[in-house]
Amino acid sequence: MDNPPLLTVNAPIGFGFRDEPGDIVNRSFAQNDVGEFVGLEVASGKNITLLGGNINFEAGEITASGGNIELGGLSEAGIVGIKEDGSLSFSEEISKADVNLNNAADIDVRGRGGGNITINARNLNLLAGEFGNSLIRAGIVTASTSTDAQAGNIIINVAENIVIDRSSVRNLVTDEGIGNAGNIIINTNFLEAINGGQVNASTFGQGNAGAIDINATGDITLDGEDSNGFPSSVASQVNPGAVGDSGGVIISTTNLNLTNGGSIDASTLGGGNAGAIDITATGDITANGEGSNGFRSGVISGVATDVVGSAVGITISTTNLNLTNGGIVSADTFGQGNAGAIDITATGDITVDGEDSSGFSSGIGSLVNSGAVGDAGGVIISTTNLSLSNGGIVSASTFGQGNAGAIDITATGNITADGENLNGFPSGVTSGVNPGAVGDSGGVIISTTNLNLTNGGRVDANTFGQGNAGVIDLTATGNITADGEDLGGIPSGVTSGVSPSAIGDSGGVIISTSDLNLTNGGRVDASTFGEGNAGAIDITATGDITADRENSNGISSAVASQVNPGATGNAGGITISTTNLNLTNGGRVDATTGGEGNAGAIDIAATGDITADGEDSNGISSAVASQVVFDAVGNAGGVTISTTNLNLINGGSVNASTFGEGNAGNITIDANNINLINRGNIQTTTQSNVGISGIINLQVAEDITLRENSSISAVAKNGLNITGKGGIPPAPDLPLNSYNISINGEYTNSTSAIPQPIETSQGKIQPARGIKITESGKVILTAYRTNSSGTRLPENSINCSQV
């Protein structure tokens, strides 16, 4: 039978404190036997625990190389528990005391492995002073030679606020050290790192940087720089000369404020991969401005110049994201490796505005920079409203050897791109192959309510180098507007183009919207100026499409797929489905060639009216045109139109002609009414000895009206067919039936009698009854009957006598 114990203890295992526990003050900065300042020190691998009320390091130090240091205290009566491993346990309900490090105070567990720091406090203050910056340090020292060496962690639990002022929390692999840095884990309400304050888990030696995980129920602020120009930051980096991977950064907070160079950075500047960054903010994220050395505020995961490694990318979830005065979210590569992907979800708005003092725009970018080898990771954005202004940009482009990434933006509200920065860089969304680059553009997909591009605002997927321009696919349940130009006269618009000196094809443009408004030079463009094909354009508008006026450089508002002078390639053509199409004051739908290649075909279906009215200030008429212009080599693609009413007014035209070397295109129009007034014209002609004109097919249910020097003309090698109400095209040797042709507002029914002249305010008008072709090939409507060769036919009067 076992004997019962003589003593039973029912109290919890721990330390009990009475009211107003006493403070612990450390002023020791004693040196060890090799002259290092260590303060209070224990043997390597041993532990130190400071537990009381407030703990104040007044230039004091504490050292436990490879061991454990634990700090904590209570501000009122209570019990601090002891875990099985000997560490302290603080109840959530207990009121903790403060830990203050000031004037070069130092907590140090660095060694050849191991070494943990745990702090439990109400507030934690790391402040610089006369003797320098205060430090909390773990990591791998230079003396470490084992690749298996693993530093311990820094764990900080603070109930209220952490202030790091010109000081730092570090878990590093030091220069020439071998081994892996440990992690930094922080739980707090507010975290403020100012004047160069840092939370840093990087590597300077051979080994991986540590991971950083910060959870703040309140706000995190990183602001300003120290006296040497180093900004406040949270960083897990592979530094120059180091070999290893970044551990990445995870942040959860209410509001995240990055200002005056403040940054979150998981880049590689050595041999290894950049780390992933994952940020969740239930409130707002702001990155604004730069430091005195040009360090920009922002979130960065990049691969530096001459580095071999890849960026993993950045994931952000927030309410509002504000990038201003050069603020950035960047996952770039300058070395040999891929740029990371960027994925941003904002339940509120995203604002990208302005530039820093060096002219670098605020932006969201995954870039392959000049001299780099790798692919851009692309950008995915989901938000309510996206505002890009004063040069603000979303970019997934390449300047080096590698593909530009795709951009996919969903905005339940509006997307706005307006203006340019002071260096002339426009606001916009771009996936481009830039000058000197080799690779393909990833293209742009946008889904929104309204898309507004103003004062040079752009959506681009261009190539300026060797590679294809990407496809642009825009869906707007509301309206799309492109208006005006930037200060250099470059118009607002949507462009998938091949630029001069570039080699590659345009990916084309697809648009689905309610109304599409192109004004003061605004354009939808899929053209080529280099070696490659212009892209196809496909537009569906449930409402109206308007193209009106030119910009200050004379660039017309237009939908254009063109082969421009000096270019080699074919135009992709244009397909439009809309209610009404309004081309005014020089507005155009253009699928022409001015270089070596074919003009594209144009196919327009409008359930309402199509109107081409007037000309711009340079005399360029409003038009639907598939043409081969002077000195060009190629064929016109032709024009097909289906509409209720076609109105060509004040020089407005439908044209499928050639003025260079090649064939003119066919024109087919199916309409209730065709109205040509004051130089309105439908034309398919050839102005050279090389090539033939097309055929004009007019299928008209009601009336054709020609007034005030208007015309319908085709070269004789083909012809003109007019079908009226219930009619069929006349046989080649029969006269033209003029039942549906009105001149100057008057028309007559065709009978066996000879039609009589019509009295109008402008004099007598004879109804057209035949076709005559001039030596130049122009088709003329005549007042007498003709056969297919244009020869006048005899007339039978009503009493059957010949006249």
Side-chain angles (χ1 to χ4, degrees), residues 180-248:
N180 299 316
N183 303 322
I184 299 175
I185 301 168
I186 297 175
N187 297 292
T188 187
N189 183 19
F190 292 93
L191 170 63
E192 184 179 35
I194 58 176
N195 301 315
Q198 294 186 354
V199 177
N200 197 328
S202 299
T203 178
F204 293 82
Q206 295 185 46
N208 296 327
I212 298 176
D213 189 339
I214 302 175
N215 181 16
T217 56
D219 297 348
I220 296 174
T221 296
L222 308 177
D223 176 74
E225 61 190 23
D226 63 19
S227 58
N228 296 314
F230 291 107
S232 300
S233 66
V234 173
S236 172
Q237 295 177 307
V238 182
N239 285 280
V243 178
D245 295 333
S246 164

Side-chain angles (χ1 to χ4, degrees), residues 15-285:
F15 298 97
F17 290 86
R18 296 175 295 181
D19 287 334
E20 299 181 1
D23 294 347
I24 296 175
V25 179
N26 178 14
R27 301 189 182 95
S28 172
F29 49 92
Q31 294 176 286
N32 62 14
D33 54 6
V34 295
E36 298 171 331
F37 289 97
V38 294
L40 299 176
E41 183 182 26
V42 295
S44 178
K46 300 301 181 180
N47 304 328
I48 301 176
T49 298
L50 300 182
L51 181 62
N54 296 321
I55 299 176
N56 301 314
F57 280 57
E58 298 175 359
E61 301 181 6
I62 188 169
T63 303
S65 178
N68 300 316
I69 294 177
E70 187 160 7
L71 307 181
L74 303 182
S75 62
E76 61 184 17
I79 295 174
V80 177
I82 302 175
K83 300 178 183 177
E84 290 184 3
D85 62 0
S87 62
L88 303 180
S89 174
F90 289 80
S91 169
E92 290 293 332
E93 292 76 22
I94 200 167
S95 181
K96 301 174 186 176
D98 297 341
V99 174
N100 302 298
L101 281 70
N102 185 37
N103 196 16
D106 189 4
I107 300 173
D108 189 354
V109 295
R110 295 174 301 152
R112 301 183 185 185
N116 297 283
I117 298 173
T118 303
I119 297 175
N120 288 277
R122 178 179 56 194
N123 296 291
L124 171 63
N125 298 295
L126 278 72
L127 309 175
E130 177 184 357
F131 297 138
N133 307 337
S134 294
L135 303 170
I136 296 174
R137 296 191 284 177
I140 300 295
V141 295
T142 300
S144 177
T145 59
S146 173
T147 57
D148 294 329
Q150 175 64 57
N153 299 324
I154 298 175
I155 300 174
I156 299 174
N157 299 307
V158 171
E160 295 182 5
N161 303 325
I162 297 174
V163 176
I164 306 173
D165 184 355
R166 208 156 43 94
S167 299
S168 61
V169 178
R170 301 177 183 172
N171 199 329
L172 310 177
V173 179
T174 56
D175 289 340
E176 301 181 7
I178 300 175
N180 299 316
N183 303 322
I184 299 175
I185 301 168
I186 297 175
N187 297 292
T188 187
N189 183 19
F190 292 93
L191 170 63
E192 184 179 35
I194 58 176
N195 301 315
Q198 294 186 354
V199 177
N200 197 328
S202 299
T203 178
F204 293 82
Q206 295 185 46
N208 296 327
I212 298 176
D213 189 339
I214 302 175
N215 181 16
T217 56
D219 297 348
I220 296 174
T221 296
L222 308 177
D223 176 74
E225 61 190 23
D226 63 19
S227 58
N228 296 314
F230 291 107
S232 300
S233 66
V234 173
S236 172
Q237 295 177 307
V238 182
N239 285 280
V243 178
D245 295 333
S246 164
V249 177
I250 299 173
I251 289 179
S252 177
T253 186
T254 299
N255 298 301
L256 174 62
N257 304 301
L258 310 172
T259 49
N260 300 308
S263 67
I264 296 172
D265 199 322
S267 298
T268 176
L269 294 80
N273 297 319
I277 297 177
D278 190 333
I279 301 173
T280 301
T282 57
D284 298 344
I285 298 174

Side-chain angles (χ1 to χ4, degrees), residues 256 258-259 285-289 297-299 321-328:
L256 174 62
L258 310 172
T259 49
I285 298 174
T286 297
N288 177 66
S297 301
V299 181
L321 173 63
N322 303 301
L323 307 175
T324 52
N325 300 310
I328 56 172

Side-chain angles (χ1 to χ4, degrees), residues 355-629:
E355 80 250 19
D356 65 14
S357 62
S358 299
F360 292 109
S361 294
S362 302
I364 299 169
S366 174
L367 308 179
V368 180
N369 287 278
S370 180
V373 179
D375 295 332
V379 177
I380 299 173
I381 293 175
S382 176
T383 187
T384 301
N385 299 299
L386 172 62
S387 175
L388 309 171
S389 53
N390 300 308
I393 191 169
V394 176
S395 180
S397 299
T398 178
F399 294 80
Q401 296 184 43
N403 296 322
I407 298 175
D408 190 334
I409 301 175
T410 300
T412 57
N414 301 324
I415 298 175
T416 300
D418 177 73
E420 62 190 294
N421 70 10
L422 295 178
N423 286 342
F425 293 105
S427 303
V429 178
T430 181
S431 171
V433 181
N434 289 280
V438 178
D440 295 332
S441 164
V444 177
I445 300 173
I446 291 177
S447 176
T448 187
T449 300
N450 298 300
L451 173 63
N452 301 304
L453 309 173
T454 51
N455 300 310
R458 312 285 302 162
V459 175
D460 285 335
N462 294 328
T463 178
F464 295 83
Q466 296 184 42
N468 297 323
V471 177
I472 298 176
D473 190 337
L474 307 181
T475 300
T477 56
N479 302 327
I480 296 176
T481 297
D483 176 74
E485 65 193 37
D486 63 20
L487 295 177
I490 299 175
S492 305
V494 179
T495 305
S496 172
V498 182
S499 297
S501 301
I503 301 174
D505 296 332
S506 164
V509 178
I510 302 170
I511 293 177
S512 176
T513 187
S514 178
D515 294 338
L516 173 62
N517 303 301
L518 309 173
T519 50
N520 300 307
R523 292 174 72 85
V524 174
D525 204 319
S527 298
T528 178
F529 291 82
E531 295 183 32
N533 297 321
I537 297 176
D538 190 335
I539 301 175
T540 301
T542 57
D544 298 343
I545 298 175
T546 299
D548 178 69
R549 300 187 185 278
E550 80 279 17
N551 73 357
S552 64
N553 281 346
I555 300 174
S556 300
S557 296
V559 177
S561 173
Q562 299 173 309
V563 181
N564 288 281
T568 303
N570 297 318
I574 298 170
T575 302
I576 293 175
S577 175
T578 187
T579 301
N580 299 298
L581 172 62
N582 302 302
L583 309 174
T584 51
N585 300 305
R588 298 177 68 85
V589 175
D590 243 331
T592 61
T593 178
E596 296 184 21
N598 296 325
I602 298 175
D603 190 337
I604 303 174
T607 57
D609 296 347
I610 296 175
T611 299
D613 181 7
E615 58 191 30
D616 65 18
S617 60
N618 297 311
I620 308 266
S621 296
S622 301
V624 176
S626 174
Q627 295 177 301
V628 181
V629 303

